[in-house]
Amino acid sequence: MGNTKSGMIERKALISSVQKYNMHDGPGIRTIVFFKGCPLRCKWCSNPEGLERKQQVMYRRTSCIDCGACIPVCPVGIHSISPATHQHVVNWNIDCIGCRRCQDACPQGALTIVGDGKTISELMEIIEEDRMFYDMSGGGLTIGGGEVLMQPEAATNLLMVCKKEGINTAIETSGYAKLESLLQVAEFVDLFLFDLKHMNPEKHFENTGVRNEIILQNLKELFNRRYNIRIRMPLLKGINDDQEEIDEVIKFLSPYKDCKNFKGVDLLPYHKLGVNKYNQLGLDYPVYGDPTLRGEDLERIESSFNKAGIQATLVKH
């Protein structure tokens, strides 16, 4: 918690990053605030720095000159020089306390501490900087992650202030949360960007670490309560691209296709934009091979939705 200028206690959110001038995650030009922490472990996740709800060291080996400047300033001993290789070593088993002394000491910028506790007021200062662009384009704030619903109180507070200030709001969510938390934020959300990763509970567990019954039930609740929803479906070869899976998604969504609050489907082809982050966090990238879909398969999937009367858009990064 933090203090506002009025002296009132103010909630903090643990943020991994803030991205400006985004045009893919909601209408218009948007600022995305990425919340840190996620209950899922999707194999293809492009934001691994958002998975853990704690501060972490990101280390770029290619920038490091093994000078050791970070070693004496780290109070918990995360950094060292290997006697065998004489190279810098990061011990990711030691929890970072977020002091950022190593980051400040590094002359090459090889170290970044990801995870910053920010008050709602601090976030609003950043968001308000681009108010002109929101007003011009119909944009606003999108909260992403990680998973927003792991910090429902902070998310609700931020969304509430944005609504009070007339700023359009959207959240990206896996939907894996208590219904109470989902409805808590929903009151202040103009658009849900809701992930559908797989319809089969066992395959969903195999690829994300959780089953999907809660997710699908929460999605039904949002539809039935008339909240605006745009479905987002990551597409990976051999995981969720076969026609049987696509038909199951269409079957699930078809009862809502004529509802005004159903805003269509974004099809998100697999990409490798986040692969280098895994190495910087001391993690192995969990996707083996290349699950990139061919153009004809993407066209088949897009056509399947559109023929069923569900507007689908292929999103290319």
Side-chain angles (χ1 to χ4, degrees):
M1 308 286 272
N3 293 320
T4 64
K5 292 180 180 179
S6 64
M8 295 177 63
I9 299 299
E10 185 180 13
R11 194 172 297 278
K12 272 190 174 184
L14 185 61
I15 303 302
S16 58
S17 64
V18 177
Q19 182 184 102
K20 293 191 170 193
Y21 314 120
N22 182 281
M23 298 185 68
H24 299 289
D25 299 287
I29 299 172
R30 310 191 72 81
T31 294
I32 304 185
V33 176
F34 291 94
F35 277 42
K36 208 166 181 325
C38 184
L40 276 66
R41 291 296 180 270
C42 303
K43 292 180 178 179
W44 55 86
C45 180
S46 60
N47 295 318
E49 74 279 13
L51 295 177
E52 299 292 341
R53 193 174 170 180
K54 63 181 182 180
Q55 290 156 321
Q56 294 172 280
V57 175
M58 294 189 76
Y59 168 57
R60 290 174 293 280
R61 174 65 220 164
T62 53
S63 299
C64 182
I65 58 174
D66 304 305
C67 66
C70 56
I71 297 172
V73 299
C74 178
V76 292
I78 291 176
H79 307 281
S80 63
I81 296 292
S82 167
T85 65
H86 306 291
Q87 291 184 335
H88 179 208
V89 176
V90 177
N91 187 344
W92 279 284
N93 292 320
I94 300 175
D95 284 340
C96 174
I97 62 173
C99 68
R100 288 178 166 75
R101 294 176 189 171
C102 64
Q103 177 180 297
D104 294 339
C106 180
Q108 298 298 113
L111 297 169
T112 301
I113 306 304
V114 60
D116 196 5
K118 289 193 175 294
T119 66
I120 304 305
S121 294
E122 289 171 335
L123 289 171
M124 285 304 300
E125 287 183 9
I126 298 171
I127 294 164
E128 286 278 9
E129 289 173 354
D130 296 313
R131 182 63 177 264
M132 177 180 67
F133 297 107
Y134 312 149
D135 294 342
M136 176 183 66
S137 67
L141 167 73
T142 297
I143 306 180
E147 172 52 61
V148 176
L149 298 175
M150 281 193 73
Q151 301 183 59
E153 293 83 8
T156 301
N157 287 175
L158 180 58
L159 293 165
M160 186 188 306
V161 175
C162 282
K163 292 304 295 176
K164 182 179 179 181
E165 296 299 323
I167 297 174
N168 181 274
T169 60
I171 71 168
E172 300 173 328
T173 181
S174 68
Y176 188 78
K178 294 179 180 178
L179 179 60
E180 177 185 358
S181 297
L182 183 64
L183 296 180
Q184 179 179 331
V185 303
E187 182 179 352
F188 308 102
V189 175
D190 291 311
L191 178 66
F192 281 92
L193 301 169
F194 198 108
D195 285 356
L196 270 187
K197 305 173 194 295
H198 212 296
M199 296 302 294
N200 182 284
E202 285 75 27
K203 290 184 178 179
H204 196 282
F205 179 83
E206 178 184 344
N207 288 291
T208 72
V210 303
R211 292 174 65 89
N212 66 354
E213 290 91 345
I214 291 174
I215 293 170
L216 297 180
Q217 186 56 44
N218 282 341
L219 180 53
K220 288 180 180 179
E221 287 284 347
L222 290 179
F223 271 126
N224 293 333
R225 292 170 187 259
R226 301 294 188 265
Y227 290 107
N228 292 324
I229 301 164
R230 188 165 184 87
I231 297 299
R232 313 196 99 188
M233 188 174 179
L235 293 172
L236 296 92
K237 183 179 179 180
I239 293 181
N240 63 353
D241 64 313
D242 63 80
Q243 195 59 44
E244 181 181 358
E245 170 65 15
I246 301 305
D247 290 343
E248 283 298 311
V249 175
I250 291 172
K251 180 181 177 181
F252 180 88
L253 294 176
S254 286
Y256 310 103
K257 66 181 180 180
D258 295 323
C259 297
K260 290 183 178 179
N261 62 317
F262 184 16
K263 303 302 181 181
V265 177
D266 284 333
L267 303 174
L268 311 175
Y270 169 78
H271 60 76
K272 297 183 178 181
L273 297 179
V275 173
N276 290 334
K277 297 179 186 178
Y278 283 82
N279 183 56
Q280 293 175 26
L281 289 163
L283 302 173
D284 293 325
Y285 187 58
V287 173
Y288 298 99
D290 185 5
T292 303
L293 287 172
R294 299 175 302 174
E296 52 263 43
D297 288 320
L298 294 172
E299 291 175 7
R300 166 182 58 84
I301 294 170
E302 184 179 21
S303 177
S304 295
F305 280 100
N306 290 323
K307 285 179 180 178
I310 299 173
Q311 180 190 13
T313 303
L314 193 61
V315 178
K316 297 181 180 180
H317 293 274

